[in-house]
Each structure stands twice: as C-alpha cells, then as structure tokens.
Amino acid sequence: MSKLTAKQKIKSIVTAIKAEEQSLRVRFPILNQQNSIAMAIMLLSLFSLIGVGTLYNFALIPAWLCIILAAIITSISHELEHDLIHKQYFSNQPIIHNFMMLTVWLMRPNTVNPWYRRQIHLHHHKVSGTEQDLEERLVGNGIKSPLLRAVVIMDGLLGLLINSKRFSKEIKGFKFLQVFNAGFPVTSAYFAILYGVIAYHVVQFIQPFELPVWGADIISAAEFLMVVLIVPNMIRSTSLNFVTSSMHYYGGVTNLLEQTHVITSRWFLPFQLFCFDFGRTHTIHHFVPNQPFYIRQLISKKIQPIMAQHGVRFNDLRA
C-alpha cells in the first residue's frame, strides 16, 4: 500500500500532467501558437454553426441532423469559454479576448455571461465539493431527489427559481437577481423564445387560431432558432450538466483527489458526445487549471493510469 500523503500524490499527478504537456509541445511546436489555435477553433466552430443553419434553412439537411451537428459544435465553444475564463487566450489583448468571450456566449445562449461565470468558476476551484460551490449546485450537484435533479439539469432557469430560497440560506453572498441578471440579454432572449414557442404550440393544440402575417413571421423565425440554436443547446447543456454533476463529489471533500472522479463508462458515451468528452478529461483540469482543453484531450490516456495509481477514482457512480 502506498505510503504517500494526499499532498504528495497530488504533486505527483500535477508533475506528470505538466511533463506530458511539455513533451507534447516539444514534439509538436505548433501547440505553442496557443492564441492562433484558439481563434482558429472558434472561427471554425462559429462558421460551422452558421453553415449547418444555412443548410437547414435551404432544406438541404433535416431538422434532426441540424440539431445534432449544432449540439456537437456548441460543445466545442463551451470548452473555449472554459479556457477563456482561465485567461488561456489573448490575456494581454483585452479587445480580442472579450470578443471571443462574447462570441462563445452567443453560441451558447442558455448560460450566464462568461464574465460572471468567471467569478463563480474560479470560486468553484476553491470550494469544489462543498455547499458553497454555486457553479456546480446551479447544475444539479448535491441534489438527492432524482426528479428535482433532472429538472435542474435540463432547465437552468427553472432550477434557479426552485432552488433560490435554499441557496440564499446556504451559500454565502448568493443573490437571486445577481445570477438572473447575469443572463441578460442573451439568456433572457433564449428562454423567452423557448417558452414562447412552447406556449404558442400548446395554445394552438387546445384552441387553434390564425396569426397575422407579422405574427407568423415571428413564429417562423423563432422555430428556426429552436432548431439551429435553442434545442441543440438544450441537448448540449443537459448532457454537460448531467456529466459534471455526476463526476463532481458533494460533501466530504478535503483535497483535490476527492473533488472529482473520471467517467469512462460506456453508458455515458451519448452524453460525452455532446459535452466534448468532459467526463474523461475534466479531472485533469482540476489538477492543472491553466491548460488548453485540446491538450487535456491529447494527454488524457497517458495521465489516467497515473491518476488511478494515486487514488483518483474512476466511474464511482454511487447513488
């Protein structure tokens, strides 16, 4: 049995991650062009999203294919936002940095703005696994009721409304309006369109009625956005929220080894597809936060055995 302390194990894992990254950068010098790579990924993702939307608009692909492709594309923009929060790209060029932050928010309109998320995400790294971790609790971590957890995972706004009173009592400094307003105007528009389209079709089902031309045009545009942006992000965020709330521990966390476990189970593959393999790689991020997401992907297979050797759990899917 290993005699190493938790601190020594953590140091060994961090050292291995950094060494593997350095080795990768030596073998592939292009990886040192971090800003350029990030910008290329963002523009490729943005134009790919516009592209699948255009194909759908001209009936060249069906709605279901547009939704799946858009969900995968927007999962990449989430990883970019995550790195931008840690100031991995253009940190000394605020105009470009903030342009990228705005772009990835527009591609993922059902989240709070990335500038506010930076605050709660950096706090997450300090208090992960405790009741003070607002970021994880907003997506379902720590909820015992399967039904309530499912609601929170699928609908962030409804989850915020349901848990607001509880959060006010348990989380220091929590203010409902601060979180709610962090979504204005992008997230506000997202939920207005989502609930508006749902309400329209419910009313039409109960009591059909004819819209004026301008009303029909608004509904047509809203339904287009549902296919290209809103439903894809529902799938993306639901997958991500399910995976992240499953892999982050809640309660009893005293060090980095206990904050997360690695999810490699085949049962999670459909969800991993829409959150860019988050469950397999995110634990690496907890040990070395300042590392581009594509580096984590490239080194994960070599790092996973080292994490397992030093006590990081895998597929610990206890109820």
Side-chain angles (χ1 to χ4, degrees):
M1 185 177 291
S2 174
K3 300 291 185 180
L4 295 177
T5 64
K7 187 175 181 179
Q8 290 171 323
K9 291 178 181 179
I10 292 167
K11 184 178 180 181
S12 295
I13 293 171
V14 170
T15 299
I17 292 171
K18 290 183 176 180
E20 192 58 40
E21 177 182 354
Q22 183 58 33
S23 174
L24 200 63
R25 289 182 182 276
V26 169
R27 282 183 287 145
F28 303 101
I30 193 173
L31 293 175
N32 294 317
Q33 303 302 315
Q34 205 156 289
N35 289 342
S36 299
I37 292 172
M39 181 61 75
I41 292 173
M42 189 196 76
L43 293 176
L44 180 60
S45 300
L46 177 61
F47 289 125
S48 294
L49 185 61
I50 294 171
V52 297
T54 302
L55 291 174
Y56 170 69
N57 183 57
F58 290 104
L60 296 174
I61 59 172
W64 66 265
L65 182 57
C66 179
I67 289 169
I68 290 174
L69 292 175
I72 294 171
I73 292 166
T74 54
S75 74
I76 298 172
S77 66
H78 168 79
E79 293 297 322
L80 280 171
E81 186 214 44
H82 194 179
D83 288 353
L84 285 162
I85 283 171
H86 286 278
K87 298 189 176 180
Q88 289 296 290
Y89 315 126
F90 297 101
S91 59
N92 296 320
Q93 295 172 270
I95 293 177
I96 300 176
H97 177 84
N98 287 308
F99 165 73
M100 292 184 72
M101 293 270 274
L102 176 60
T103 302
V104 295
W105 187 26
L106 292 173
M107 292 175 70
R108 301 158 37 266
N110 59 338
T111 65
V112 295
N113 75 66
W115 296 275
Y116 175 72
R117 186 167 172 252
R118 173 176 282 149
Q119 298 176 39
I120 62 175
H121 182 70
L122 296 181
H123 187 63
H124 156 72
H125 279 280
K126 296 177 182 178
V127 297
S128 182
T130 74
E131 66 177 15
Q132 299 305 311
D133 188 355
L134 174 60
E135 183 182 53
E136 276 300 312
R137 296 190 69 184
L138 284 171
V139 298
N141 191 259
I143 297 176
K144 294 182 179 180
S145 167
L147 179 60
L148 177 57
R149 182 176 172 227
V151 170
V152 172
I153 283 172
M154 291 188 289
D155 191 319
L157 177 57
L158 191 54
L160 176 63
L161 292 169
I162 292 171
N163 288 308
S164 179
K165 187 175 181 180
R166 182 181 177 186
F167 289 171
S168 296
K169 292 180 179 178
E170 297 178 354
I171 301 177
K172 296 175 183 177
F174 172 81
K175 295 178 181 178
F176 170 81
L177 285 178
Q178 186 179 49
V179 180
F180 182 82
N181 290 337
F184 183 83
V186 175
T187 313
S188 307
Y190 168 94
F191 281 108
I193 295 170
L194 171 61
Y195 293 141
V197 170
I198 292 173
Y200 167 75
H201 284 287
V202 168
V203 173
Q204 280 283 22
F205 178 78
I206 297 172
Q207 182 62 56
F209 64 95
E210 187 173 346
L211 288 171
V213 174
W214 62 267
D217 288 342
I218 291 174
I219 287 296
S220 178
E223 289 179 337
F224 174 78
L225 289 173
M226 286 288 287
V227 173
V228 174
L229 202 59
I230 294 177
V231 174
N233 270 292
M234 286 179 67
I235 295 172
R236 176 201 63 77
S237 62
T238 297
S239 299
L240 175 64
N241 293 347
F242 177 58
V243 172
T244 190
S245 62
S246 296
M247 70 175 295
H248 284 87
Y249 289 106
Y250 183 78
V253 174
T254 61
N255 59 63
L256 280 173
L257 295 172
E258 300 169 348
Q259 289 182 356
T260 62
H261 64 98
V262 182
I263 297 180
T264 60
S265 170
R266 67 182 66 180
W267 298 105
F268 277 75
L269 287 177
F271 304 103
Q272 302 270 36
L273 175 65
F274 297 114
C275 63
F276 210 77
D277 212 24
F278 190 89
R280 290 176 183 268
T281 61
H282 184 69
T283 294
I284 295 173
H285 173 69
H286 272 248
F287 288 97
V288 181
N290 296 319
Q291 184 180 70
F293 73 96
Y294 49 85
I295 295 288
R296 289 196 295 276
Q297 290 287 339
L298 292 171
I299 69 174
S300 63
K301 284 189 177 180
K302 289 190 176 181
I303 296 301
Q304 284 178 4
I306 297 171
M307 291 194 296
Q309 176 188 344
H310 290 293
V312 174
R313 283 167 280 194
F314 281 65
N315 300 312
D316 187 19
L317 302 170
R318 296 168 296 175

